[in-house]
Amino acid sequence: MKETPAEKRKRVAEIIDILQREYPGACTALNFNNPLELLVATILSAQCTDARVNEVTADLFRKYRTARDYAAADPAELENDIRPTGFFRNKAKNIIACCRAIEERCGSRVPQTMEELTGLAGVGRKTANVVLGNAFGVPALPVDTHVSRLAGRLGLTEHRDPVKIERDLMEVVPREHWTEFSHRLIYHGRAVCRARKPRCGECALRRLCPTGSMFFPR
């Protein structure tokens, strides 16, 4: 029998409670001290691990401290600075263009709305959501590969497109939990609900998970 919207919201409330107990300190793994640093780090995190990004930004953030610094950067030099993150030419191009727009259109400050953020070079909804939720405290639901995978396995979406997954989650997750819910799904995806060989037998969400309960009955 198909789950009703009310039943799904009730199940999600239980999932939220369990994840809060399992990962009480869940937060972004990217190191940053201000919105600009988080924006740059998130752009660099595309197709790269957070750990590698943090290694690179430890020096990068000492060298480039403002949007103006990035806007005036020599492209070849910035490419070399961020080379270990991969796709460094495109990332350097986007960071420079993004920061020029921040200087010219946003009064040298990282904007605080989805519309303005996604109008910047190299900034999609995921990056914008990361910045909104973690730098500005605006409830946001970044959808990365972990969130996408777990949302599907938990029966919270039937879509694969990140924007559609985000909208599905927004309908069942209370707004005040959006940011933390995303973080905790990421933590759980890394620790237990892995892409390959998920550890369903030791999953705290097994009772509430359609996928896990197939193999481990309630």
Side-chain angles (χ1 to χ4, degrees), residues 139-217:
L141 257 168
V143 176
D144 72 349
T145 56
H146 296 292
V147 174
S148 177
R149 182 175 70 255
L150 269 67
R153 286 178 176 174
L154 288 167
L156 305 182
T157 185
E158 295 180 352
H159 296 109
R160 294 190 176 184
D161 176 75
V163 175
K164 293 180 179 179
I165 292 171
E166 180 187 346
R167 289 172 181 165
D168 284 345
L169 292 177
M170 284 177 170
E171 291 181 3
V172 295
V173 177
R175 189 171 186 272
E176 64 270 20
H177 291 293
W178 285 356
T179 304
E180 292 76 15
F181 187 71
S182 177
H183 287 319
R184 289 177 175 128
L185 285 184
I186 292 169
Y187 273 53
H188 194 63
R190 288 172 175 165
V192 179
C193 194
R194 299 168 179 171
R196 296 183 180 180
K197 297 182 179 180
R199 298 159 61 182
C200 298
E202 53 191 86
C203 179
L205 299 177
R206 189 179 70 222
R207 176 177 60 84
L208 302 166
C209 177
T211 304
S213 61
M214 288 171 58
F215 305 101
F216 298 90

Side-chain angles (χ1 to χ4, degrees), residues 27-46:
C27 61
T28 179
L30 294 171
N31 295 333
F32 71 99
N33 295 299
N34 56 59
L36 178 64
E37 289 187 354
L38 181 58
L39 176 59
V40 171
T42 309
I43 292 174
L44 294 177
S45 70

Side-chain angles (χ1 to χ4, degrees), residues 4-23:
T4 67
E7 289 171 337
K8 182 176 289 187
R9 283 192 290 271
K10 180 180 178 181
R11 183 165 63 91
V12 168
E14 292 186 70
I15 290 171
I16 290 172
D17 287 342
I18 292 170
L19 291 177
Q20 284 177 332
R21 292 197 298 270
E22 293 290 310
Y23 311 102

Side-chain angles (χ1 to χ4, degrees), residues 67-68 99-111 116:
R68 181 173 297 178
C99 288
R100 283 178 179 167
I102 290 173
E103 280 293 301
E104 295 168 2
R105 305 201 309 257
C106 306
S108 302
R109 295 190 176 186
V110 176
E116 290 176 298

Side-chain angles (χ1 to χ4, degrees), residues 38-139:
L38 181 58
L39 176 59
V40 171
T42 309
I43 292 174
L44 294 177
S45 70
Q47 304 298 313
C48 183
T49 65
D50 291 344
R52 177 59 60 85
V53 171
N54 289 337
E55 290 176 4
V56 169
T57 57
D59 291 328
L60 190 74
F61 292 162
R62 285 192 288 267
K63 184 174 182 179
Y64 304 92
R65 296 182 177 275
T66 66
R68 181 173 297 178
D69 292 338
Y70 288 106
D74 175 73
E77 185 175 354
L78 182 56
E79 287 174 9
N80 189 61
D81 292 332
I82 66 174
R83 183 180 293 268
T85 68
F87 302 95
F88 54 90
R89 291 190 180 89
N90 194 49
K91 290 178 180 179
K93 178 182 177 181
N94 283 335
I95 289 171
I96 291 172
C98 173
C99 288
R100 283 178 179 167
I102 290 173
E103 280 293 301
E104 295 168 2
R105 305 201 309 257
C106 306
S108 302
R109 295 190 176 186
V110 176
Q112 300 185 37
T113 68
M114 175 64 71
E115 182 178 9
E116 290 176 298
L117 282 166
T118 54
L120 301 174
V123 180
R125 285 192 67 87
K126 176 197 165 187
T127 296
N129 274 322
V130 169
V131 173
L132 290 172
N134 296 279
F136 296 121
V138 177

